[in-house]
Amino acid sequence: MTASFPPRLIIDDQKTMVILDTVVARELVDLEHCPAWVETFEKMTADGYSFSLADGTFIELVNQRSRGSITADQFQRMCTRLTQFLSTELPIAPGRRDLLGMLQQDGEPWSEQECRSISLDSWAELLRCADAGYTPGSTEHLLEEERNAWRAMLAGFQETVNTLKHSVQLRIEVLHALDEAGLLSAFDTLPDHEFLKALEAIHTLQASPSEEVLDLFKAVPNMALQKVFQSLEALSPQDLSGVLQLAHPYKDQKQHIDDNSKDPTDAWQAWTAQQVSWKVIGPKINVGVTKAFENSESAVFTMNMRSHLEVVYCWTRFSSMQKAKRAYDPTSKKSRNDGVDFDLYRFLKLPAFVVTLDKGFLEGLTDVNSYQANWFFRPQELADSWNAGITPEPRWPAVKDLSKR
């Protein structure tokens, strides 16, 4: 079942949108003879296809003209060829907020006319760049904003993971404190829900333990009891269920150490490190990421699901950052433009195909399990498909198929 989304603005839903990457536009600069796909794309515009340059492509092309890596004559050649098939309504695809506005998903006031004007003004700027007497200003700062946004997003994910790891460590400290105080073994006979109630009660009492409260624990050495209170103080009430979840693995590990370990301290440190390792934490976070695309109760295709590859690819990159060897480093020179490239994934939610020559998109997504992974085409491949009568079109899958992924 597919949701009934509001109609897409500017470019009618009945049209198939195609977004061009920078390397495709550059091919029109470098090739002396016009590629055959240009003529095919022109024919496709009469068959319900709408072609636009990505806004990042516009920024990169202006920047390349500004620093002289594309001459005015080359720019003229490129623009002449692009004019044959680019949309006259939306020659430059919009940025993030305007894209959501096109989909009627932006909660803030949004102007369709302003979005159209920005697109047409951007195209006019590209045409000015073909004038030998015109030198545009650098747009490097805009590219750097995209790079920084990518790095900041991954850094934010890392901060969330670090917070989760710290929370797990705090829960283990609570179990150690309860164990040393003899309270953990006292709770052994309690059902899980009673164990949790006992934790909640102690957590409430530790904030300001009265003499009466302390008297309840008179069998517990004062130093051990204070350690229990201190360890619980660092946790929020919502974290207590996590203590319960770790209680049984903790007891199993304690028994294992008692039976086998010559050095309990090292053994506990190794076990704690394992509990906060990516191997253990990663799958738990993955469950949350996956649930963003599941809606089994209504079986309705949601707006989140339109961003499937965008999120899955980001998650894949972030997971790669956690590797002990050859980890992905978003700050490295090799990864410098990953943020600029990542911006292309957001266009898939329109929906739209992306035309590129970048092997990272065309060959680098084979291990990414997303229905949108095959929405990237070489220009000639897309042209050949249409010439063969296939009429390619990006389609939303059934929810049941998406959930399997």
Side-chain angles (χ1 to χ4, degrees):
M1 180 177 178
T2 303
S4 178
F5 295 115
R8 186 174 63 199
L9 302 178
I10 303 180
I11 304 299
D12 188 88
D13 279 320
Q14 301 306 311
K15 291 189 176 183
T16 298
M17 290 192 68
V18 181
I19 308 297
L20 275 65
D21 189 10
T22 306
V23 286
V24 174
R26 279 301 306 252
E27 186 179 45
L28 301 180
V29 168
D30 299 330
L31 292 178
E32 182 177 349
H33 300 288
C34 187
W37 55 262
V38 171
E39 183 180 353
T40 303
F41 281 9
E42 184 177 10
K43 293 176 181 177
M44 291 172 69
T45 61
D47 191 36
Y49 285 80
S50 176
F51 295 87
S52 303
L53 296 177
D55 64 324
T57 295
F58 160 75
I59 294 170
E60 289 189 273
L61 289 173
V62 172
N63 202 46
Q64 290 173 22
R65 177 72 176 90
S66 174
R67 65 174 187 257
S69 60
I70 306 179
T71 67
D73 287 344
Q74 290 173 323
F75 223 91
Q76 180 63 59
R77 174 191 293 168
M78 178 190 69
C79 288
T80 298
R81 292 170 175 177
L82 288 172
T83 302
Q84 292 181 234
F85 62 86
L86 277 189
S87 167
T88 56
E89 295 179 281
L90 198 74
I92 312 297
R96 290 184 183 87
R97 188 185 167 208
D98 282 325
L99 187 149
L100 292 177
M102 282 182 65
L103 299 176
Q104 302 195 56
Q105 296 297 316
D106 188 11
E108 301 297 323
W110 178 79
S111 169
E112 179 178 347
Q113 184 55 48
E114 183 179 356
C115 181
R116 289 175 181 270
S117 296
I118 291 172
S119 178
L120 294 173
D121 289 347
S122 298
W123 174 242
E125 174 67 6
L126 283 185
L127 295 177
R128 277 193 293 272
C129 288
D131 186 341
Y134 179 72
T135 301
S138 172
T139 56
E140 182 62 32
H141 65 288
L142 298 176
L143 296 174
E144 195 59 26
E145 285 179 9
E146 297 296 339
R147 298 180 189 119
N148 289 336
W150 170 248
R151 296 170 190 144
M153 179 173 60
L154 294 178
F157 291 165
Q158 189 63 60
E159 185 176 339
T160 299
V161 169
N162 292 342
T163 299
L164 178 57
K165 288 182 177 182
H166 182 60
S167 177
V168 173
Q169 289 174 323
L170 291 176
R171 295 167 192 173
I172 293 174
E173 288 176 14
V174 168
L175 289 168
H176 275 306
L178 290 171
D179 192 14
E180 291 174 8
L183 293 174
L184 190 60
S185 58
F187 293 154
D188 269 348
T189 57
L190 297 178
D192 285 351
H193 69 281
E194 293 293 342
F195 184 3
L196 183 57
K197 283 184 179 179
L199 279 177
E200 291 170 344
I202 299 174
H203 185 271
T204 301
L205 295 172
Q206 58 82 25
S208 55
S210 61
E211 290 298 326
E212 292 81 1
V213 169
L214 294 175
D215 191 54
L216 293 173
F217 298 97
K218 59 185 178 183
V220 179
N222 185 62
M223 185 175 294
L225 183 60
Q226 291 302 323
K227 192 171 182 179
V228 171
F229 287 163
Q230 290 170 5
S231 63
L232 282 169
E233 186 178 5
L235 291 182
S236 68
Q238 293 75 25
D239 285 326
L240 296 179
S241 60
V243 176
L244 177 62
Q245 292 168 5
L246 275 172
H248 294 299
Y250 177 93
K251 293 171 189 176
D252 291 342
Q253 179 63 11
K254 180 184 177 182
Q255 186 62 53
H256 176 75
I257 290 175
D258 290 344
D259 294 341
N260 302 284
S261 180
K262 295 180 181 179
D263 192 335
T265 301
D266 286 349
W268 276 119
Q269 287 178 347
W271 183 77
T272 299
Q274 181 186 36
Q275 299 308 305
V276 299
S277 68
W278 184 248
K279 184 177 180 180
V280 173
I281 286 182
K284 296 178 181 177
I285 302 176
N286 187 53
V287 170
V289 174
T290 303
K291 282 186 176 179
F293 306 111
E294 292 180 355
N295 196 340
S296 57
E297 291 183 5
S298 62
V300 171
F301 191 87
T302 66
M303 183 57 67
N304 267 351
M305 296 172 182
R306 295 175 76 144
S307 303
H308 193 259
L309 182 56
E310 184 179 359
V311 175
V312 170
Y313 176 78
C314 185
W315 169 250
T316 302
R317 291 281 80 191
F318 178 70
S319 297
S320 183
M321 287 173 60
Q322 314 306 315
K323 292 180 179 179
K325 295 181 180 179
R326 298 182 180 179
Y328 172 66
D329 180 5
T331 65
S332 70
K333 184 177 180 180
K334 179 182 178 182
S335 305
R336 183 170 182 265
N337 283 324
D338 284 2
V340 178
D341 292 341
F342 178 70
D343 214 37
L344 284 171
Y345 290 105
R346 62 186 165 85
F347 292 112
L348 303 179
K349 65 169 66 74
L350 284 168
F353 287 138
V354 173
V355 170
T356 182
L357 294 169
D358 191 325
K359 290 183 179 180
F361 297 114
L362 298 168
E363 301 174 10
L365 298 175
T366 54
D367 61 340
V368 177
N369 195 5
S370 172
Y371 71 94
Q372 293 172 316
N374 62 356
W375 288 12
F376 292 86
F377 285 86
R378 290 178 176 85
Q380 193 58 54
E381 287 176 344
L382 182 62
D384 289 344
S385 294
W386 184 82
N387 282 325
I390 297 175
T391 315
E393 179 185 352
R395 297 180 182 275
W396 308 127
V399 174
K400 60 181 179 62
D401 295 330
L402 184 57
S403 298
K404 293 176 184 177
R405 300 172 184 267

